[in-house]
Amino acid sequence: MIIPEQPTETAPAAKGSSFLSVQDLKVSFATEDGIVRAVNGLSFDLEKGRTLGIVGESGSGKSVTNLTILGLHNPRTTTVEGQILLDGQELVTASDKELAKLRGSKMSMVFQDALAALSPYYTVGRQIAEPYMKHTGASKKEARDRAIEMLTKVGIPQPQTRVDDYPHQFSGGMRQRAMIAMALVNDPELLIADEPTTALDVTVQAQILDLLKDLQQETGTSIIFITHDLGVIANIADDVLVMYAGRCVERGTMAEVLDSSQHPYGWGLLRSIPHMNADVDKPLMPIPGTPPSLLNPPSGCAFHPRCEFRDKVGGDRCVTELPRLELANGHLSACHLTPQQKQDIFAQQIQPQLG
Ligand code: SF4
């Protein structure tokens, strides 16, 4: 089926001083099978010192968005349109040299797999010290002292000796802490954390989240936290942006989305995570179906093949018409259900299932 070009969603900018402003971002890749539209008209703002959670299944465009902000996409195969302003500086048109200067100083990233991100050939201390020397011109001795200071900050025991260890000598949780130390060594104003706790057990996961929260309070860094699991960011994010098939389908404060999500995909995410007061014997409800291919996404609302509520919208609107991001019951959502329908379904069907 040929899918007609669909209009870009519109979304009002957040209030307050925006440190990072992403406006109508579109990212596509040329592949042998055709054009993959990974991000399609995404807009959001992030204020200083706040944490934005970007949530969605794999292939929703969340990681591509953040690699594009960092300028880590392949410019030969990727087309980027729209605007990304970091503290007023345009990143979409910035040169590789300008982006490299910003990475590791003004913005940095923590990846999911610390073992893959850290080099096995260099000590942990050297890997923390090098970006510090590069961006500040510090001496080897000063950079080593800074590495020890950062290891102390992220809670590595005996940092004076562990600084000379290699990554394989650290546990999984310690490696993740070391990567956070590396990412924060130059006091970046923006930290992008891409599924930083996915590979860790629940206790270590909670420790890493607490660490990020504490460090943010100390430094005022803005954080984008990417995850497929809404539950992970429930205690750390101020705001949340839910992505599906390269678009934002819901955006609000964390409390708004947790307490009154206004989108069937958001409801699916909420039902698939354990809740504090829920009956422990009650099974979690995974979202049926699989995320769509971005080579040939479904027409209209991309969620329609998986949506159990599309019959409540008149005619075939869900299949033919792209829902725009609009205010409904206090925050933004992109769904053809009326605000009253959303409120009623959430209160009567979804909330009782959450416990
Ligand atoms: Fe479901 Fe239709 Fe809303 Fe999409 S627009 S989420 S298909 S009800």
Side-chain angles (χ1 to χ4, degrees):
M1 187 203 306
I2 295 171
I3 299 161
E5 187 61 25
Q6 296 184 323
T8 298
E9 68 211 17
T10 53
K15 291 190 191 84
S17 62
S18 167
F19 176 62
L20 174 70
S21 176
V22 173
Q23 298 303 325
D24 201 15
L25 181 69
K26 293 176 186 154
V27 186
S28 54
F29 315 109
T31 70
E32 282 182 4
D33 298 321
I35 304 286
V36 172
R37 295 185 203 287
V39 180
N40 216 335
L42 187 70
S43 300
F44 66 87
D45 290 276
L46 176 61
E47 291 170 39
K48 273 216 156 147
R50 280 181 84 82
T51 298
L52 171 72
I54 301 188
V55 194
E57 291 162 296
S58 56
S60 61
K62 55 192 193 310
S63 293
V64 172
T65 299
N66 290 292
L67 288 173
T68 308
I69 293 170
L70 289 158
L72 290 173
H73 54 283
N74 181 345
R76 277 176 302 152
T77 53
T78 314
T79 304
V80 180
E81 295 167 70
Q83 192 179 52
I84 303 172
L85 287 177
L86 180 73
D87 206 9
Q89 182 171 354
E90 173 57 270
L91 303 188
V92 171
T93 52
S95 67
D96 288 350
K97 207 172 154 192
E98 286 168 325
L99 287 167
K101 202 171 160 201
L102 289 172
R103 277 194 305 270
S105 57
K106 206 158 184 130
M107 56 183 179
S108 66
M109 188 158 185
V110 177
F111 295 94
Q112 180 186 141
D113 187 353
L115 199 54
L118 294 167
S119 167
Y121 302 112
Y122 298 112
T123 63
V124 168
R126 181 168 168 186
Q127 294 184 65
I128 298 171
E130 278 197 346
Y132 186 65
M133 284 195 287
K134 191 174 159 205
H135 286 281
T136 64
S139 68
K140 270 190 174 172
K141 162 85 177 70
E142 287 164 339
R144 183 184 162 84
D145 290 346
R146 175 69 172 165
I148 294 170
E149 183 193 341
M150 291 308 297
L151 288 176
T152 311
K153 224 178 218 185
V154 299
I156 300 289
Q158 296 145 1
Q160 287 87 351
T161 52
R162 303 303 304 246
V163 72
D164 296 317
D165 281 357
Y166 288 85
H168 73 269
Q169 295 173 285
F170 274 30
S171 68
M174 278 165 65
R175 278 197 292 271
Q176 211 63 24
R177 285 170 189 267
M179 202 162 49
I180 293 170
M182 203 164 95
L184 295 182
V185 70
N186 289 316
D187 295 325
E189 291 167 84
L190 173 66
L191 177 72
I192 297 181
D194 191 349
E195 306 263 12
T197 61
T198 303
L200 306 172
D201 68 50
V202 179
T203 314
V204 182
Q205 192 176 76
Q207 289 168 355
I208 298 290
L209 293 175
D210 284 347
L211 172 67
L212 282 173
K213 220 158 47 173
D214 290 349
L215 292 172
Q216 184 183 44
Q217 260 162 21
E218 200 183 309
T219 60
T221 304
S222 306
I223 298 178
I224 295 180
F225 197 111
I226 305 168
T227 180
H228 63 280
D229 184 346
L230 196 49
V232 167
I233 52 163
N235 292 324
I236 184 172
D238 301 297
D239 304 297
V240 63
L241 186 158
V242 181
M243 281 191 83
Y244 191 80
R247 296 179 189 275
C248 172
V249 295
E250 185 164 20
R251 200 177 84 200
T253 65
M254 192 72 233
E256 284 167 345
V257 174
L258 281 183
D259 296 343
S260 65
S261 169
Q262 297 292 302
H263 195 281
Y265 182 59
W267 299 337
L269 292 175
L270 282 174
R271 288 190 295 197
S272 63
I273 57 172
H275 286 263
M276 283 288 280
N277 304 323
D279 178 352
V280 286
D281 295 326
K282 217 163 151 186
L284 296 175
M285 298 168 67
I287 302 170
T290 50
S293 153
L294 296 177
L295 261 176
N296 189 13
S299 56
C301 171
F303 189 56
H304 82 253
R306 305 170 75 185
C307 183
E308 63 186 283
F309 300 99
R310 60 188 257 206
D311 291 346
K312 295 192 184 294
V313 175
D316 60 357
R317 227 178 137 202
C318 293
V319 181
T320 58
E321 191 185 323
L322 176 74
R324 289 172 177 273
L325 208 49
E326 287 170 346
L327 266 181
N329 304 314
H331 67 275
L332 294 162
S333 57
C335 169
H336 293 312
L337 292 167
T338 65
Q340 189 62 53
Q341 283 176 311
K342 292 174 186 173
Q343 200 169 34
D344 292 347
I345 294 171
F346 185 78
Q348 290 158 22
Q349 290 185 46
I350 310 300
Q351 213 159 31
Q353 291 169 342
L354 304 182

mmCIF file of all heavy atoms in Angstrom, residues 188-231:
data_model
loop_
_atom_site.group_PDB
_atom_site.id
_atom_site.type_symbol
_atom_site.label_atom_id
_atom_site.label_comp_id
_atom_site.label_asym_id
_atom_site.label_seq_id
_atom_site.Cartn_x
_atom_site.Cartn_y
_atom_site.Cartn_z
ATOM 1 N N PRO A 188 29.121 17.924 32.151
ATOM 2 C CA PRO A 188 28.247 18.263 31.022
ATOM 3 C C PRO A 188 26.923 18.841 31.512
ATOM 4 O O PRO A 188 26.482 18.520 32.617
ATOM 5 C CB PRO A 188 28.013 16.903 30.352
ATOM 6 C CG PRO A 188 28.128 15.919 31.457
ATOM 7 C CD PRO A 188 29.193 16.464 32.371
ATOM 8 N N GLU A 189 26.336 19.684 30.683
ATOM 9 C CA GLU A 189 25.048 20.262 31.079
ATOM 10 C C GLU A 189 23.898 19.369 30.621
ATOM 11 O O GLU A 189 22.776 19.511 31.070
ATOM 12 C CB GLU A 189 24.929 21.668 30.506
ATOM 13 C CG GLU A 189 25.896 22.616 31.193
ATOM 14 C CD GLU A 189 26.050 23.924 30.460
ATOM 15 O OE1 GLU A 189 25.226 24.805 30.658
ATOM 16 O OE2 GLU A 189 27.010 24.036 29.672
ATOM 17 N N LEU A 190 24.185 18.466 29.663
ATOM 18 C CA LEU A 190 23.169 17.516 29.200
ATOM 19 C C LEU A 190 23.756 16.111 29.228
ATOM 20 O O LEU A 190 24.812 15.860 28.646
ATOM 21 C CB LEU A 190 22.740 17.851 27.763
ATOM 22 C CG LEU A 190 21.803 16.824 27.096
ATOM 23 C CD1 LEU A 190 20.453 16.801 27.804
ATOM 24 C CD2 LEU A 190 21.615 17.140 25.617
ATOM 25 N N LEU A 191 23.071 15.211 29.929
ATOM 26 C CA LEU A 191 23.492 13.806 29.957
ATOM 27 C C LEU A 191 22.387 12.968 29.327
ATOM 28 O O LEU A 191 21.223 13.060 29.730
ATOM 29 C CB LEU A 191 23.721 13.353 31.402
ATOM 30 C CG LEU A 191 24.089 11.867 31.555
ATOM 31 C CD1 LEU A 191 25.507 11.610 31.049
ATOM 32 C CD2 LEU A 191 23.966 11.418 33.005
ATOM 33 N N ILE A 192 22.760 12.171 28.323
ATOM 34 C CA ILE A 192 21.782 11.274 27.711
ATOM 35 C C ILE A 192 22.108 9.861 28.167
ATOM 36 O O ILE A 192 23.205 9.356 27.930
ATOM 37 C CB ILE A 192 21.825 11.391 26.175
ATOM 38 C CG1 ILE A 192 21.424 12.819 25.764
ATOM 39 C CG2 ILE A 192 20.875 10.373 25.543
ATOM 40 C CD1 ILE A 192 21.410 13.081 24.280
ATOM 41 N N ALA A 193 21.168 9.247 28.871
ATOM 42 C CA ALA A 193 21.386 7.901 29.413
ATOM 43 C C ALA A 193 20.478 6.937 28.642
ATOM 44 O O ALA A 193 19.249 7.019 28.745
ATOM 45 C CB ALA A 193 21.066 7.885 30.900
ATOM 46 N N ASP A 194 21.080 6.069 27.827
ATOM 47 C CA ASP A 194 20.306 5.170 26.963
ATOM 48 C C ASP A 194 20.216 3.784 27.610
ATOM 49 O O ASP A 194 21.190 3.041 27.605
ATOM 50 C CB ASP A 194 20.972 5.080 25.581
ATOM 51 C CG ASP A 194 20.066 4.386 24.562
ATOM 52 O OD1 ASP A 194 19.044 3.809 24.964
ATOM 53 O OD2 ASP A 194 20.395 4.429 23.360
ATOM 54 N N GLU A 195 19.072 3.478 28.196
ATOM 55 C CA GLU A 195 18.841 2.197 28.879
ATOM 56 C C GLU A 195 20.018 1.845 29.800
ATOM 57 O O GLU A 195 20.539 0.722 29.748
ATOM 58 C CB GLU A 195 18.651 1.062 27.855
ATOM 59 C CG GLU A 195 17.572 1.308 26.823
ATOM 60 C CD GLU A 195 16.237 0.656 27.155
ATOM 61 O OE1 GLU A 195 16.056 0.184 28.295
ATOM 62 O OE2 GLU A 195 15.366 0.647 26.278
ATOM 63 N N PRO A 196 20.459 2.769 30.667
ATOM 64 C CA PRO A 196 21.704 2.536 31.412
ATOM 65 C C PRO A 196 21.608 1.434 32.466
ATOM 66 O O PRO A 196 22.628 1.008 32.982
ATOM 67 C CB PRO A 196 21.988 3.889 32.075
ATOM 68 C CG PRO A 196 20.650 4.493 32.244
ATOM 69 C CD PRO A 196 19.830 4.033 31.075
ATOM 70 N N THR A 197 20.385 0.999 32.779
ATOM 71 C CA THR A 197 20.259 0.006 33.851
ATOM 72 C C THR A 197 19.663 -1.318 33.366
ATOM 73 O O THR A 197 19.447 -2.222 34.176
ATOM 74 C CB THR A 197 19.370 0.565 34.989
ATOM 75 O OG1 THR A 197 18.072 0.838 34.461
ATOM 76 C CG2 THR A 197 19.939 1.828 35.585
ATOM 77 N N THR A 198 19.432 -1.442 32.071
ATOM 78 C CA THR A 198 18.722 -2.621 31.547
ATOM 79 C C THR A 198 19.441 -3.931 31.852
ATOM 80 O O THR A 198 18.807 -4.940 32.140
ATOM 81 C CB THR A 198 18.518 -2.459 30.028
ATOM 82 O OG1 THR A 198 17.804 -1.252 29.829
ATOM 83 C CG2 THR A 198 17.717 -3.601 29.436
ATOM 84 N N ALA A 199 20.784 -3.915 31.795
ATOM 85 C CA ALA A 199 21.523 -5.167 31.972
ATOM 86 C C ALA A 199 21.781 -5.501 33.442
ATOM 87 O O ALA A 199 22.430 -6.494 33.746
ATOM 88 C CB ALA A 199 22.846 -5.063 31.222
ATOM 89 N N LEU A 200 21.267 -4.669 34.355
ATOM 90 C CA LEU A 200 21.615 -4.840 35.778
ATOM 91 C C LEU A 200 20.465 -5.450 36.576
ATOM 92 O O LEU A 200 19.297 -5.322 36.190
ATOM 93 C CB LEU A 200 21.962 -3.469 36.375
ATOM 94 C CG LEU A 200 23.042 -2.688 35.623
ATOM 95 C CD1 LEU A 200 23.158 -1.280 36.190
ATOM 96 C CD2 LEU A 200 24.381 -3.398 35.718
ATOM 97 N N ASP A 201 20.807 -6.103 37.711
ATOM 98 C CA ASP A 201 19.711 -6.650 38.526
ATOM 99 C C ASP A 201 19.008 -5.493 39.253
ATOM 100 O O ASP A 201 19.507 -4.368 39.316
ATOM 101 C CB ASP A 201 20.199 -7.738 39.487
ATOM 102 C CG ASP A 201 21.088 -7.204 40.584
ATOM 103 O OD1 ASP A 201 20.709 -6.218 41.238
ATOM 104 O OD2 ASP A 201 22.174 -7.765 40.800
ATOM 105 N N VAL A 202 17.832 -5.798 39.810
ATOM 106 C CA VAL A 202 16.948 -4.743 40.316
ATOM 107 C C VAL A 202 17.596 -3.881 41.396
ATOM 108 O O VAL A 202 17.444 -2.655 41.411
ATOM 109 C CB VAL A 202 15.643 -5.381 40.852
ATOM 110 C CG1 VAL A 202 14.706 -4.332 41.403
ATOM 111 C CG2 VAL A 202 14.961 -6.152 39.744
ATOM 112 N N THR A 203 18.377 -4.509 42.282
ATOM 113 C CA THR A 203 18.997 -3.743 43.372
ATOM 114 C C THR A 203 20.037 -2.773 42.823
ATOM 115 O O THR A 203 20.052 -1.584 43.180
ATOM 116 C CB THR A 203 19.688 -4.707 44.371
ATOM 117 O OG1 THR A 203 18.788 -5.774 44.630
ATOM 118 C CG2 THR A 203 20.063 -4.013 45.638
ATOM 119 N N VAL A 204 20.893 -3.276 41.935
ATOM 120 C CA VAL A 204 21.931 -2.407 41.363
ATOM 121 C C VAL A 204 21.271 -1.320 40.508
ATOM 122 O O VAL A 204 21.693 -0.161 40.504
ATOM 123 C CB VAL A 204 22.941 -3.234 40.530
ATOM 124 C CG1 VAL A 204 24.048 -2.354 39.985
ATOM 125 C CG2 VAL A 204 23.536 -4.350 41.380
ATOM 126 N N GLN A 205 20.192 -1.704 39.816
ATOM 127 C CA GLN A 205 19.448 -0.745 38.999
ATOM 128 C C GLN A 205 18.984 0.437 39.869
ATOM 129 O O GLN A 205 19.178 1.597 39.511
ATOM 130 C CB GLN A 205 18.233 -1.488 38.434
ATOM 131 C CG GLN A 205 17.505 -0.746 37.356
ATOM 132 C CD GLN A 205 16.381 -1.613 36.789
ATOM 133 O OE1 GLN A 205 15.347 -1.770 37.420
ATOM 134 N NE2 GLN A 205 16.577 -2.167 35.621
ATOM 135 N N ALA A 206 18.420 0.113 41.028
ATOM 136 C CA ALA A 206 17.928 1.159 41.932
ATOM 137 C C ALA A 206 19.086 2.032 42.418
ATOM 138 O O ALA A 206 18.951 3.258 42.530
ATOM 139 C CB ALA A 206 17.204 0.525 43.117
ATOM 140 N N GLN A 207 20.243 1.403 42.679
ATOM 141 C CA GLN A 207 21.410 2.183 43.146
ATOM 142 C C GLN A 207 21.880 3.161 42.060
ATOM 143 O O GLN A 207 22.207 4.306 42.344
ATOM 144 C CB GLN A 207 22.559 1.240 43.498
ATOM 145 C CG GLN A 207 22.312 0.433 44.757
ATOM 146 C CD GLN A 207 23.330 -0.689 44.926
ATOM 147 O OE1 GLN A 207 24.164 -0.919 44.057
ATOM 148 N NE2 GLN A 207 23.245 -1.407 46.030
ATOM 149 N N ILE A 208 21.894 2.692 40.814
ATOM 150 C CA ILE A 208 22.356 3.558 39.717
ATOM 151 C C ILE A 208 21.376 4.718 39.514
ATOM 152 O O ILE A 208 21.783 5.869 39.299
ATOM 153 C CB ILE A 208 22.512 2.742 38.398
ATOM 154 C CG1 ILE A 208 23.574 1.647 38.562
ATOM 155 C CG2 ILE A 208 22.827 3.645 37.205
ATOM 156 C CD1 ILE A 208 25.006 2.127 38.675
ATOM 157 N N LEU A 209 20.072 4.435 39.628
ATOM 158 C CA LEU A 209 19.075 5.499 39.466
ATOM 159 C C LEU A 209 19.231 6.531 40.584
ATOM 160 O O LEU A 209 19.184 7.742 40.346
ATOM 161 C CB LEU A 209 17.659 4.910 39.475
ATOM 162 C CG LEU A 209 17.320 4.017 38.278
ATOM 163 C CD1 LEU A 209 15.948 3.390 38.454
ATOM 164 C CD2 LEU A 209 17.366 4.799 36.975
ATOM 165 N N ASP A 210 19.451 6.047 41.820
ATOM 166 C CA ASP A 210 19.671 6.970 42.948
ATOM 167 C C ASP A 210 20.908 7.822 42.710
ATOM 168 O O ASP A 210 20.922 9.026 42.988
ATOM 169 C CB ASP A 210 19.848 6.189 44.261
ATOM 170 C CG ASP A 210 18.513 5.681 44.784
ATOM 171 O OD1 ASP A 210 17.472 6.140 44.276
ATOM 172 O OD2 ASP A 210 18.522 4.808 45.672
ATOM 173 N N LEU A 211 21.950 7.165 42.182
ATOM 174 C CA LEU A 211 23.206 7.878 41.920
ATOM 175 C C LEU A 211 22.970 9.011 40.906
ATOM 176 O O LEU A 211 23.408 10.147 41.117
ATOM 177 C CB LEU A 211 24.254 6.888 41.383
ATOM 178 C CG LEU A 211 25.556 7.498 40.885
ATOM 179 C CD1 LEU A 211 26.329 8.119 42.039
ATOM 180 C CD2 LEU A 211 26.415 6.445 40.195
ATOM 181 N N LEU A 212 22.260 8.695 39.825
ATOM 182 C CA LEU A 212 22.002 9.718 38.802
ATOM 183 C C LEU A 212 21.212 10.879 39.400
ATOM 184 O O LEU A 212 21.484 12.042 39.126
ATOM 185 C CB LEU A 212 21.230 9.105 37.627
ATOM 186 C CG LEU A 212 22.061 8.283 36.646
ATOM 187 C CD1 LEU A 212 21.163 7.589 35.626
ATOM 188 C CD2 LEU A 212 23.092 9.147 35.910
ATOM 189 N N LYS A 213 20.236 10.539 40.249
ATOM 190 C CA LYS A 213 19.407 11.573 40.874
ATOM 191 C C LYS A 213 20.259 12.469 41.780
ATOM 192 O O LYS A 213 20.163 13.688 41.736
ATOM 193 C CB LYS A 213 18.304 10.885 41.691
ATOM 194 C CG LYS A 213 16.993 11.590 41.547
ATOM 195 C CD LYS A 213 15.762 10.795 41.840
ATOM 196 C CE LYS A 213 15.729 9.985 43.088
ATOM 197 N NZ LYS A 213 14.437 9.369 43.365
ATOM 198 N N ASP A 214 21.129 11.832 42.594
ATOM 199 C CA ASP A 214 21.989 12.601 43.500
ATOM 200 C C ASP A 214 22.946 13.501 42.719
ATOM 201 O O ASP A 214 23.127 14.676 43.058
ATOM 202 C CB ASP A 214 22.825 11.655 44.382
ATOM 203 C CG ASP A 214 21.952 10.929 45.396
ATOM 204 O OD1 ASP A 214 20.779 11.321 45.542
ATOM 205 O OD2 ASP A 214 22.441 9.954 46.000
ATOM 206 N N LEU A 215 23.560 12.924 41.665
ATOM 207 C CA LEU A 215 24.519 13.707 40.896
ATOM 208 C C LEU A 215 23.818 14.880 40.211
ATOM 209 O O LEU A 215 24.368 15.968 40.096
ATOM 210 C CB LEU A 215 25.224 12.824 39.857
ATOM 211 C CG LEU A 215 26.170 11.763 40.440
ATOM 212 C CD1 LEU A 215 26.668 10.827 39.351
ATOM 213 C CD2 LEU A 215 27.364 12.415 41.140
ATOM 214 N N GLN A 216 22.590 14.633 39.773
ATOM 215 C CA GLN A 216 21.861 15.720 39.123
ATOM 216 C C GLN A 216 21.573 16.849 40.106
ATOM 217 O O GLN A 216 21.691 18.024 39.771
ATOM 218 C CB GLN A 216 20.548 15.193 38.544
ATOM 219 C CG GLN A 216 19.799 16.277 37.775
ATOM 220 C CD GLN A 216 18.474 15.789 37.264
ATOM 221 O OE1 GLN A 216 17.731 15.119 37.971
ATOM 222 N NE2 GLN A 216 18.178 16.104 36.029
ATOM 223 N N GLN A 217 21.216 16.483 41.337
ATOM 224 C CA GLN A 217 20.944 17.515 42.342
ATOM 225 C C GLN A 217 22.191 18.339 42.621
ATOM 226 O O GLN A 217 22.137 19.532 42.837
ATOM 227 C CB GLN A 217 20.450 16.867 43.626
ATOM 228 C CG GLN A 217 18.936 16.971 43.709
ATOM 229 C CD GLN A 217 18.328 16.015 44.693
ATOM 230 O OE1 GLN A 217 19.003 15.532 45.582
ATOM 231 N NE2 GLN A 217 17.058 15.747 44.522
ATOM 232 N N GLU A 218 23.325 17.670 42.589
ATOM 233 C CA GLU A 218 24.594 18.338 42.884
ATOM 234 C C GLU A 218 25.031 19.246 41.729
ATOM 235 O O GLU A 218 25.527 20.337 41.946
ATOM 236 C CB GLU A 218 25.638 17.230 43.080
ATOM 237 C CG GLU A 218 26.872 17.635 43.830
ATOM 238 C CD GLU A 218 27.834 16.443 43.872
ATOM 239 O OE1 GLU A 218 27.404 15.342 44.262
ATOM 240 O OE2 GLU A 218 29.008 16.641 43.480
ATOM 241 N N THR A 219 24.819 18.785 40.490
ATOM 242 C CA THR A 219 25.394 19.500 39.353
ATOM 243 C C THR A 219 24.377 20.283 38.525
ATOM 244 O O THR A 219 24.759 21.134 37.730
ATOM 245 C CB THR A 219 26.076 18.501 38.390
ATOM 246 O OG1 THR A 219 25.070 17.573 37.926
ATOM 247 C CG2 THR A 219 27.181 17.720 39.081
ATOM 248 N N GLY A 220 23.095 19.983 38.668
ATOM 249 C CA GLY A 220 22.081 20.683 37.870
ATOM 250 C C GLY A 220 22.053 20.241 36.408
ATOM 251 O O GLY A 220 21.505 20.936 35.551
ATOM 252 N N THR A 221 22.644 19.079 36.120
ATOM 253 C CA THR A 221 22.661 18.576 34.743
ATOM 254 C C THR A 221 21.238 18.226 34.280
ATOM 255 O O THR A 221 20.448 17.702 35.058
ATOM 256 C CB THR A 221 23.517 17.273 34.688
ATOM 257 O OG1 THR A 221 24.801 17.576 35.202
ATOM 258 C CG2 THR A 221 23.643 16.739 33.279
ATOM 259 N N SER A 222 20.945 18.522 33.027
ATOM 260 C CA SER A 222 19.678 18.059 32.438
ATOM 261 C C SER A 222 19.902 16.632 31.952
ATOM 262 O O SER A 222 20.966 16.326 31.397
ATOM 263 C CB SER A 222 19.286 18.928 31.248
ATOM 264 O OG SER A 222 19.254 20.280 31.631
ATOM 265 N N ILE A 223 18.909 15.772 32.146
ATOM 266 C CA ILE A 223 19.082 14.365 31.759
ATOM 267 C C ILE A 223 17.961 13.928 30.814
ATOM 268 O O ILE A 223 16.790 14.241 31.037
ATOM 269 C CB ILE A 223 19.094 13.441 33.001
ATOM 270 C CG1 ILE A 223 20.269 13.792 33.923
ATOM 271 C CG2 ILE A 223 19.173 11.969 32.594
ATOM 272 C CD1 ILE A 223 20.338 12.960 35.213
ATOM 273 N N ILE A 224 18.353 13.218 29.763
ATOM 274 C CA ILE A 224 17.359 12.487 28.962
ATOM 275 C C ILE A 224 17.598 11.016 29.269
ATOM 276 O O ILE A 224 18.711 10.514 29.111
ATOM 277 C CB ILE A 224 17.525 12.737 27.451
ATOM 278 C CG1 ILE A 224 17.240 14.199 27.120
ATOM 279 C CG2 ILE A 224 16.564 11.838 26.660
ATOM 280 C CD1 ILE A 224 17.384 14.531 25.641
ATOM 281 N N PHE A 225 16.575 10.345 29.737
ATOM 282 C CA PHE A 225 16.695 8.948 30.135
ATOM 283 C C PHE A 225 15.845 8.125 29.174
ATOM 284 O O PHE A 225 14.624 8.243 29.137
ATOM 285 C CB PHE A 225 16.193 8.792 31.574
ATOM 286 C CG PHE A 225 16.625 7.526 32.239
ATOM 287 C CD1 PHE A 225 17.536 7.540 33.278
ATOM 288 C CD2 PHE A 225 16.112 6.301 31.831
ATOM 289 C CE1 PHE A 225 17.934 6.362 33.899
ATOM 290 C CE2 PHE A 225 16.499 5.119 32.443
ATOM 291 C CZ PHE A 225 17.418 5.153 33.475
ATOM 292 N N ILE A 226 16.511 7.295 28.378
ATOM 293 C CA ILE A 226 15.795 6.496 27.378
ATOM 294 C C ILE A 226 15.533 5.110 27.937
ATOM 295 O O ILE A 226 16.443 4.470 28.468
ATOM 296 C CB ILE A 226 16.662 6.346 26.108
ATOM 297 C CG1 ILE A 226 17.081 7.716 25.597
ATOM 298 C CG2 ILE A 226 15.925 5.574 25.028
ATOM 299 C CD1 ILE A 226 18.165 7.637 24.550
ATOM 300 N N THR A 227 14.318 4.630 27.809
ATOM 301 C CA THR A 227 14.009 3.295 28.320
ATOM 302 C C THR A 227 12.803 2.704 27.594
ATOM 303 O O THR A 227 11.984 3.434 27.030
ATOM 304 C CB THR A 227 13.750 3.342 29.841
ATOM 305 O OG1 THR A 227 13.455 2.029 30.306
ATOM 306 C CG2 THR A 227 12.587 4.247 30.191
ATOM 307 N N HIS A 228 12.691 1.373 27.634
ATOM 308 C CA HIS A 228 11.480 0.734 27.108
ATOM 309 C C HIS A 228 10.503 0.485 28.259
ATOM 310 O O HIS A 228 9.398 0.039 28.044
ATOM 311 C CB HIS A 228 11.844 -0.590 26.422
ATOM 312 C CG HIS A 228 12.424 -1.587 27.372
ATOM 313 N ND1 HIS A 228 13.748 -1.550 27.770
ATOM 314 C CD2 HIS A 228 11.854 -2.608 28.047
ATOM 315 C CE1 HIS A 228 13.959 -2.526 28.625
ATOM 316 N NE2 HIS A 228 12.835 -3.183 28.813
ATOM 317 N N ASP A 229 10.944 0.767 29.487
ATOM 318 C CA ASP A 229 10.188 0.388 30.678
ATOM 319 C C ASP A 229 9.796 1.636 31.481
ATOM 320 O O ASP A 229 10.631 2.249 32.144
ATOM 321 C CB ASP A 229 11.088 -0.541 31.522
ATOM 322 C CG ASP A 229 10.383 -1.076 32.750
ATOM 323 O OD1 ASP A 229 9.322 -0.544 33.108
ATOM 324 O OD2 ASP A 229 10.908 -2.034 33.354
ATOM 325 N N LEU A 230 8.523 1.977 31.395
ATOM 326 C CA LEU A 230 8.019 3.162 32.095
ATOM 327 C C LEU A 230 8.295 3.086 33.602
ATOM 328 O O LEU A 230 8.543 4.092 34.254
ATOM 329 C CB LEU A 230 6.499 3.260 31.841
ATOM 330 C CG LEU A 230 5.759 4.549 32.123
ATOM 331 C CD1 LEU A 230 6.430 5.758 31.513
ATOM 332 C CD2 LEU A 230 4.326 4.443 31.635
ATOM 333 N N GLY A 231 8.277 1.845 34.148
ATOM 334 C CA GLY A 231 8.483 1.663 35.578
ATOM 335 C C GLY A 231 9.859 2.136 36.024
ATOM 336 O O GLY A 231 10.016 2.668 37.124
#
